[in-house]
């Protein structure tokens, strides 16, 4: 079991990495800057987290496992393709609005990984997207969705919802509930389910995001 000091140092390193990488990108931050941000020496950073790429793979894997866990909760608690997709969209929007630093790193730094690290992160990303794919497929099979290009629709919706991490401003003119429900409405149109009654899942999704992302490693 890691000693208390080691756990604290690892948390500081991950948090520092998320802060810096979300602002300047993986390649825009050197080891020395990362160590200084974490309040450690470069040698200590290597001791706790290995190489810089090891650290990136760890940060991205943690974020993706949280997304997978959240999608699993939605699948368990929302029956039917329509209600489930509505919740998945609002959850993705809420996650990217409330945890923009982590999600910008998770979504934007895959190209910096290589070999097994890249493969492991891609497997987690595919696992998360599988919840979206199976929900869309179920909706098409039941007639709830009438989209003719489900793969393209899925990618377009994920990209649209992911973009919230880049532009949403908590102090801006749009309330988060408006952003989440607006994206859910757009998703229903893309999937050919305009008649689907949208349910406000913002409070439930906010609570789920808070629960799942409250652990170590946040920014």
């Amino acid at each position: 079991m890691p000693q208390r000091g080691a756990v604290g140092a690892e948390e500081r390193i991950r948090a520092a990495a998320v802060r810096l990488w979300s602002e300047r990108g993986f390649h825009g931050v050197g080891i020395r800057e990362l160590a200084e941000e974490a309040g450690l020496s470069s040698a200590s950073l290597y001791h706790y987290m290995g190489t810089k790429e090891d650290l990136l793979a760890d940060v991205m894997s943690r974020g993706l496992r949280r997304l997978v866990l959240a999608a699993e909760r939605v699948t368990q608690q929302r029956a039917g393709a329509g209600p489930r997709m509505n919740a998945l969209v609002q959850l993705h929007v809420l996650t990217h609005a409330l945890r923009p630093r982590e999600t910008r790193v998770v979504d934007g730094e895959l190209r910096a990984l290589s070999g097994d690290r890249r493969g492991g992160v891609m497997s987690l990303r595919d696992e998360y997207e599988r919840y979206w794919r199976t929900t869309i497929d179920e909706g098409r099979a039941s007639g709830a969705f009438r989209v003719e290009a489900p793969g393209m629709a899925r990618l377009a919706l994920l990209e649209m919802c992911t973009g919230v991490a880049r532009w949403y401003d908590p102090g801006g003119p749009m309330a988060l509930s408006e952003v989440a429900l607006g994206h859910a409405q757009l998703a229903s149109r893309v999937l050919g389910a305009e008649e689907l009654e949208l349910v406000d899942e913002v409070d439930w999704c906010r609570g789920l995001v808070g629960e799942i992302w409250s652990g170590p490693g946040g920014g």
Side-chain angles (χ1 to χ4, degrees):
M1 177 179 296
Q3 297 180 353
R4 184 182 299 272
V7 172
E10 291 172 2
E11 291 176 7
R12 293 204 312 276
I13 292 168
R14 279 191 290 268
V18 166
R19 286 194 297 273
L20 293 177
W21 290 341
S22 66
E23 295 170 359
R24 293 155 54 187
F26 177 77
H27 292 298
V29 179
I31 285 290
R32 181 176 298 178
E33 296 169 287
L34 186 54
E36 289 177 353
E37 181 75 9
L40 298 167
S41 67
S42 298
S44 294
L45 189 145
Y46 282 118
H47 171 73
Y48 286 118
M49 301 303 299
T51 68
K52 187 179 161 189
E53 193 173 333
D54 287 333
L55 177 57
L56 176 61
D58 178 68
V59 168
M60 294 182 72
S61 296
R62 284 170 176 267
L64 283 164
R65 281 194 291 268
R66 285 164 166 163
L67 286 169
V68 168
L69 177 57
E72 182 181 14
R73 294 278 189 87
V74 169
T75 300
Q76 292 169 346
Q77 299 182 36
R78 296 296 182 268
R84 194 180 312 133
M85 180 53 63
N86 175 56
L88 283 171
V89 168
Q90 294 189 50
L91 176 66
H92 198 85
V93 169
L94 264 289
T95 301
H96 283 70
L98 297 172
R99 311 298 302 193
R101 287 174 169 171
E102 294 98 324
T103 52
R104 282 200 296 267
V105 174
V106 168
D107 296 325
E109 297 298 341
L110 180 64
R111 64 188 181 279
L113 296 177
S114 60
D116 291 342
R117 300 183 190 90
R118 182 184 179 94
V121 168
M122 288 181 67
S123 293
L124 286 168
R125 184 195 63 185
D126 291 345
E127 183 178 356
Y128 174 66
E129 290 190 12
R130 193 175 300 123
Y131 287 96
W132 286 62
R133 184 173 65 250
T134 55
T135 299
I136 293 173
D137 289 345
E138 179 185 325
R140 292 181 75 225
S142 69
F145 302 155
R146 294 188 296 274
V147 61
E148 295 183 0
M152 186 182 299
R154 183 187 76 252
L155 294 174
L157 291 176
L158 283 165
E159 184 68 21
M160 176 181 72
C161 296
T162 293
V164 171
R166 296 189 295 272
W167 63 261
Y168 174 69
D169 179 4
M174 296 183 67
L176 186 50
S177 58
E178 182 182 0
V179 174
L181 287 168
H183 279 73
Q185 185 175 41
L186 288 170
S188 71
R189 292 174 179 171
V190 169
L191 296 172
E194 292 91 339
E195 73 280 3
L196 179 68
E197 182 180 354
L198 298 179
V199 176
D200 186 336
E201 297 276 19
V202 171
D203 288 341
W204 183 75
C205 290
R206 188 192 296 271
L208 188 56
V209 172
E211 175 189 347
I212 291 176
W213 289 79
S214 60

